[in-house]
């Protein structure tokens, strides 16, 4: 398949707002792709050349790309930089520069999808000395035979700045209409949920599209977890309060909601893999967990889930999530880090045991199986604290105990429910204290992607500090695409207002004058070296624009600091 055909599709998608038209076009495209190219096309459409969960990266930054563009198109680096400054997008820059280039391409070879895909994949495997040169020549080979529009998308793919924005739901529905026919809506729904189910268990639409094309519905229904490959975990919903959560289920079980990171432990004989909830492979980062599993798991083959905490090396008491997150990101001195911040794992579920997946089993049964395969290593590798009760007084005590132990709150789970991968179904309910809101000022923004390209999609939040402002988070939630009630704040409204205050532009980002005050809800305050205030809000969400407040009346860093120190071990909120 020619790469220009894929570029035609990108262009169409970029210009077409209608979801249905997008799906039709993509489906036709998928049908045309042969078995060998289909998976490549599905990945490239998402601006990727590896499955979403892969750790591999092309590792090319703007600076290197400027060099490549200059040398492939016969311009100086400063000419490319100039164009980049004007457009804020190296993809557009290369397109424009190639279009006006007087000296036509000497190489007259048509690019095909496989060639582009393979060269881009190779970028991830070049390492060490001379790797820059190898990367340059891999991209140069493509750009020097590319038409201007092709070059635009190659550059954007390499920089991971594809703006076409094919949402996961669109891909799913496109696979459905490409490879299946439906008698009625009912059958369509069934097919779509089979595709989605398969994708929860193998979160890579390239693989799912191939299965759909080659083996149909039967093939999709046969997809199950594979030990060693990540799947999408069951998610929790929020409960109003403990009482509501208890009343939701006939037979609830309460567990500590630990302030750590979810870990899925895959074991196949002596082989181990650890995945986070975001499907990152963190096996290398946790050699200490390898040791714990060796004596802590009796089963030959299994996948179990738990929450991993960092602990104080001396006292063994749990530390806030932030400490552990340093270990998750760590690429070097791993053994040293394992000694500085030892871990504790609190296990709460099992989804696979010796050849059989357990998704359709009840939580009660899964808990029993989990207990049967674990050798508890106290304080290190243990079962999550739990309590089976319907009694509110007992539940409140348990909740207090979780907060006193410096954990987030409790999970209330339905003992009779199965395990639904990837879903935020109401089988698990989280109960945690609500944080007070903050009034902050917007001091910057980033342009959105996909159908939000003409709006700012992310906003930089700042609090007052001394005479100025200091950043404390990035927010993209709580803002609406369309108004459904008067109070809703839309991307369009915020964008129009902020445009008036732009001070500077850099790439995708703008800085704005501190004018707009917003009321922000969030889940937690963390210490952060990334933001100039030294604090970061976790999951900030816009509640409303405070037109009644001036930036001088926004909250200051002192209030954030106070809330930060209050948030641990707080009294329950009911
Ligand atoms: P949230 O991130 O607030 O949606 O809450 C869900 C997350 O809580 C899960 O993904 C786990 O990482 C974490 N968690 C902590 N303790 C538990 C527990 N006992 N059961 C399930 N999830 C837990």
């Amino acid at each position: 398949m020619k790469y220009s055909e894929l570029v035609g599709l990108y262009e169409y998608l970029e210009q077409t707002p209608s979801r249905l038209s997008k799906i039709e076009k993509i489906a036709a495209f998928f049908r045309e792709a042969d078995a060998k190219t289909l998976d490549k096309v599905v990945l490239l459409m998402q601006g990727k050349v590896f499955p979403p969960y892969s750790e591999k990266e092309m590792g090319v930054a703007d600076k290197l790309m400027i060099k490549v563009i200059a040398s492939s198109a016969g311009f100086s680096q400063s000419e490319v930089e100039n164009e980049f400054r004007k457009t804020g997008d190296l993809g557009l820059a290369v397109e424009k520069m190639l279009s006006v280039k007087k000296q036509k391409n000497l190489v007259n070879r048509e690019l095909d999808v496989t060639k582009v895909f393979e060269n881009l994949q190779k970028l991830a495997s070049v390492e060490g000395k001379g790797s820059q040169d190898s990367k340059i020549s891999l991209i140069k080979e493509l750009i020097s035979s590319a038409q201007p529009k092709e070059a635009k998308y190659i550059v954007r793919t390499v920089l991971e700045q594809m703006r076409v924005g094919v949402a996961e739901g669109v891909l799913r529905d496109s696979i459905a209409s490409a490879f299946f026919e439906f008698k009625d809506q009912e059958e369509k729904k069934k097919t779509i949920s089979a595709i989605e189910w398969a994708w929860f268990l193998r979160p890579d639409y390239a693989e799912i599209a191939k299965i759909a094309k080659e083996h149909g519905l039967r093939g999709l229904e046969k997809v199950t977890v594979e030990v060693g490959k990540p799947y999408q975990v069951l998610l929790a919903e929020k409960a109003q309060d403990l009482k509501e959560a208890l009343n939701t289920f006939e037979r609830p079980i309460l567990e500590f909601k630990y302030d750590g990171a979810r870990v899925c432990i895959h074991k196949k004989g002596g082989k181990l893999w650890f995945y986070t909830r975001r499907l990152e492979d963190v096996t290398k980062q946790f050699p200490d967990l390898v040791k714990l599993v060796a004596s802590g798991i009796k089963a030959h083959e299994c996948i179990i889930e738990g929450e991993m905490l960092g602990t104080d090396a001396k006292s063994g008491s749990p530390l806030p999530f932030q400490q552990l997150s340093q270990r998750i990101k760590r690429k070097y001195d791993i053994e040293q880090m394992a000694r500085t911040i030892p871990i504790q794992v609190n296990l709460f579920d099992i989804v696979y045991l010796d050849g059989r997946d357990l998704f359709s089993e009840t939580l009660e049964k899964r808990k029993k199986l989990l207990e049967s395969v674990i050798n508890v290593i106290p304080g290190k590798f243990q079962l999550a604290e739990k309590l089976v009760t319907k009694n509110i007084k007992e539940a409140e005590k348990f909740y207090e105990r979780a907060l006193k132990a410096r954990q987030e709150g409790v999970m209330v789970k339905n003992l009779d429910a199965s395990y639904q991968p990837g879903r935020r179904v109401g089988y698990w309910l989280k109960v945690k204290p609500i944080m007070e809101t903050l009034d902050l000022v917007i001091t910057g923004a980033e342009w959105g992607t996909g159908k939000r390209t003409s709006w700012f999609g992310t906003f930089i939040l700042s609090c007052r500090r001394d005479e100025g402002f200091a950043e404390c988070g990035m927010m993209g939630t709580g803002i609406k695409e369309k108004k459904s009630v008067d109070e809703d704040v839309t991307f369009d409204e915020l964008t129009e207002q902020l445009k008036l205050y732009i001070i500077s532009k850099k790439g995708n980002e703008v800085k704005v004058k501190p004018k707009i005050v917003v009321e922000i809800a969030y889940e937690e305050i963390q210490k952060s070296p990334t933001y100039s205030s030294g604090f970061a809000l976790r999951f900030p969400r816009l509640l409303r624009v405070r037109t009644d407040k001036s930036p001088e009346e926004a909250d200051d860093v002192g209030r954030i600091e106070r809330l930060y120190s209050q948030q641990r071990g707080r009294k329950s909120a009911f």
Side-chain angles (χ1 to χ4, degrees), residues 404-420:
K404 277 218 181 84
R406 300 181 154 242
Q407 301 309 322
E408 281 186 346
V410 293
M411 280 285 192
V412 181
K413 300 181 179 176
N414 182 355
L415 271 176
D416 298 307
S418 58
Y419 188 107
Q420 280 267 350

Side-chain angles (χ1 to χ4, degrees), residues 234-236 245-246 248-258 262 305-307 346-349 363-364 366-367 370 384-389 410-419 426-431:
L234 169 58
L235 299 169
L246 278 190
T248 309
F249 307 131
E250 206 165 301
R251 295 195 314 134
I253 178 169
L254 282 77
E255 288 169 8
F256 274 20
K257 183 179 190 311
Y258 295 95
R262 178 119 162 219
E305 288 190 13
E307 186 84 350
N346 298 287
L347 301 158
F348 51 74
D349 220 319
L363 176 60
E364 185 172 39
R366 299 199 308 276
K367 286 254 175 216
L370 176 67
E385 287 279 344
K386 61 175 191 291
L387 175 73
V388 177
T389 188
V410 293
M411 280 285 192
V412 181
K413 300 181 179 176
N414 182 355
L415 271 176
D416 298 307
S418 58
Y419 188 107
Y427 296 169
W428 294 2
L429 299 173
K430 51 186 174 192
V431 184

Side-chain angles (χ1 to χ4, degrees), residues 276-373:
T276 67
R277 145 183 174 172
R278 294 171 60 199
L279 318 181
E280 296 145 313
D281 183 343
V282 290
T283 319
K284 281 199 208 98
Q285 285 90 316
F286 293 96
D288 41 349
L289 184 53
V290 171
K291 284 186 200 134
L292 290 173
V293 168
S295 49
I297 300 185
K298 289 184 256 182
H300 176 72
E301 214 184 342
C302 66
I303 304 175
I304 62 177
E305 288 190 13
E307 186 84 350
M308 185 157 61
L309 301 174
T311 60
D312 184 285
K314 278 197 194 119
S315 67
S317 55
L319 297 169
F321 168 70
Q322 283 249 286
Q323 308 282 333
L324 179 75
S325 77
Q326 292 179 34
R327 287 203 52 186
I328 294 176
K329 292 182 212 139
R330 199 71 171 196
K331 298 240 158 68
Y332 53 91
D333 286 345
I334 285 174
E335 293 283 349
Q336 164 68 28
M337 275 302 262
R339 281 190 295 273
T340 323
I341 308 171
I343 50 162
Q344 174 187 98
V345 185
N346 298 287
L347 301 158
F348 51 74
D349 220 319
I350 179 164
V351 299
Y352 186 93
L353 180 60
D354 293 331
R356 198 162 70 85
D357 78 55
L358 306 170
F359 297 120
S360 54
E361 301 291 354
T362 63
L363 176 60
E364 185 172 39
K365 175 86 185 283
R366 299 199 308 276
K367 286 254 175 216
K368 281 203 181 110
L369 288 172
L370 176 67
E371 281 164 29
S372 74
V373 302

